[in-house]
Amino acid sequence: MVKSMTGFGRATKEFESFKVTIELKAVNHRYSEFLFRMPKQLAYLEGKLKKTISKQIKRGRMECFFSITGEQISKRALHIDWDLADSYYRFIKQASARYELKDLPTTADLLQEQAYLSIEEEVEASSDLERLVLETLARATERLDEMRSMEGAELLLYFKQHLSAIEKSLEIIQAEIPNTEKYYQEKLETRLQNVVGEQFDPSIVLTEVALLLEKADINEEVERTKSHLKQFYGIILLEEPIGRKLDFLIQEMNREVNTIGSKASSLKITEQVVEMKTTLEKIREQVQNVE
């Protein structure tokens, strides 16, 4: 089925004094990629987090933002860079002796120096917190997938409308093919009349027309393009990631249409080739957003 690779999902869960909020943002990407912004104390969960998301999301770049609050899971700690503090203290003593300073920094002054003093909030991991994080992530992933499916439904309608336009162009081209033989025959007869007058062998005309038609025959390309259209309709109904398959199919259809354009001598066929190429480009742009 058609799913977009872009979307957003958010979920919040609470347990006792724990509260976890997770936001997922998905964008286009050739492969599957994850970016987690979470407390470093939960870094050990990364493998499980990826597995939880991958159950529903097969392709795209995921940005995952974690917000965790609760008195029981956080603590504030004072961190001191003693090496830097010792260097600072030695400098004060040396400067005091060298310049005979009287007003030396007090302990209060030293405690205000943020270069070697910092207060950090740390999250304490626990089995309850781990379960809560995974449950919240699963719910956020479901909501993200729901949005991707909704956008995918719109893409599906878009594809069907444009595929229908290509089908109509192929019908016009096929209806024009019989006129091509008549065009070549009349063109060749006119040239022969201009050169040798009315006295020429009609069999020569038929032979030359047959050769020209063989070089300009586009029936095979038209049939292959129609076959690709049927494949496209079949692929968009598959219950699996289909973006790469559709991208490859669009490339194949472009090749066939370009060949039709290079062989065509009819203005009517050329006009339809231009229309099909324009439509295929529109489809290709949207296929880049399909999972």
Side-chain angles (χ1 to χ4, degrees):
M1 72 185 286
V2 180
K3 282 188 180 181
S4 169
M5 276 194 287
T6 61
F8 178 81
R10 185 178 188 275
T12 298
K13 276 184 173 289
E14 296 185 43
F15 176 74
E16 295 181 351
S17 62
F18 301 170
K19 182 178 180 180
V20 176
T21 300
I22 298 178
E23 294 182 352
L24 300 180
K25 180 182 177 182
V27 296
N28 296 359
H29 198 274
R30 188 174 181 182
Y31 303 106
S32 180
E33 184 178 284
F34 301 91
L35 176 62
F36 295 105
R37 300 186 185 277
M38 60 185 178
K40 61 183 179 180
Q41 287 78 10
L42 296 178
Y44 75 96
L45 280 176
E46 187 169 314
K48 292 182 179 179
L49 298 176
K50 289 181 179 179
K51 188 175 181 180
T52 298
I53 297 174
S54 297
K55 289 178 180 178
Q56 291 179 282
I57 311 297
K58 307 301 181 184
R59 187 168 166 239
R61 185 176 188 270
M62 305 292 138
E63 295 183 17
C64 314
F65 302 90
F66 293 70
S67 173
I68 302 174
T69 58
E71 294 181 3
Q72 296 184 16
I73 64 171
S74 64
K75 65 178 182 179
R76 304 181 75 188
L78 176 66
H79 291 265
I80 305 173
D81 186 338
W82 287 108
D83 291 336
L84 184 60
D86 290 343
S87 297
Y88 186 65
Y89 178 72
R90 286 194 297 270
F91 166 75
I92 292 175
K93 290 188 65 177
Q94 292 172 0
S96 176
R98 186 180 184 89
Y99 301 110
E100 298 180 355
L101 300 177
K102 294 181 180 180
D103 297 328
L104 297 178
T106 64
T107 302
D109 294 328
L110 294 176
L111 290 175
Q112 292 179 3
E113 180 56 55
Q114 296 183 358
Y116 52 81
L117 289 177
S118 63
I119 298 177
E120 297 181 2
E121 187 173 277
E122 297 181 344
V123 175
E124 294 182 338
S126 69
S127 58
D128 288 335
L129 177 58
E130 177 179 330
R131 176 184 56 77
L132 191 62
V133 167
L134 293 175
E135 289 178 356
T136 307
L137 180 62
R139 182 58 183 141
T141 303
E142 288 177 3
R143 290 177 175 171
L144 170 63
D145 196 46
E146 288 170 1
M147 179 177 286
R148 284 159 52 107
S149 295
M150 290 174 62
E151 291 187 8
E154 294 180 2
L155 285 174
L156 179 61
L157 292 175
Y158 182 90
F159 291 148
K160 288 183 176 180
Q161 289 172 357
H162 286 74
L163 292 175
S164 178
I166 295 175
E167 289 174 330
K168 290 178 180 177
S169 290
L170 290 174
E171 290 175 3
I172 294 173
I173 289 173
Q174 280 192 307
E176 184 65 16
I177 289 176
N179 297 328
T180 303
E181 181 176 354
K182 183 179 179 181
Y183 166 79
Y184 281 127
Q185 184 170 348
E186 291 177 350
K187 186 176 181 180
L188 187 56
E189 287 178 351
T190 300
R191 286 185 179 180
L192 286 173
Q193 287 175 1
N194 292 335
V195 175
V196 299
E198 297 292 339
Q199 304 300 319
F200 60 85
D201 188 352
S203 63
I204 296 177
V205 176
L206 294 176
T207 302
E208 292 298 324
V209 168
L211 291 173
L212 289 172
L213 289 176
E214 184 177 354
K215 293 180 181 179
D217 182 25
I218 58 174
N219 281 290
E220 189 174 342
E221 286 78 9
V222 170
E223 290 303 320
R224 278 202 295 262
T225 304
K226 292 170 68 176
S227 175
H228 292 329
L229 287 173
K230 290 180 181 179
Q231 291 180 56
F232 201 108
Y233 279 116
I235 290 173
I236 58 180
L237 298 178
L238 295 177
E239 295 292 334
E240 62 184 52
I242 59 175
R244 293 180 185 175
K245 292 181 179 180
L246 295 181
D247 188 45
F248 174 77
L249 202 54
I250 289 297
Q251 293 179 42
E252 293 300 306
M253 292 170 70
N254 261 313
R255 290 193 185 95
E256 301 299 342
V257 172
N258 284 332
T259 302
I260 293 172
S262 65
K263 289 183 175 183
S265 58
S266 166
L267 178 59
K268 201 168 187 179
I269 292 178
T270 301
E271 289 175 349
Q272 295 307 313
V273 166
V274 172
E275 290 294 328
M276 287 193 294
K277 290 179 68 173
T278 302
T279 303
L280 284 171
E281 179 59 25
K282 292 179 180 178
I283 295 175
R284 189 196 67 80
E285 290 176 358
Q286 296 303 320
V287 162
Q288 304 308 307
N289 193 38
V290 176
E291 183 183 60

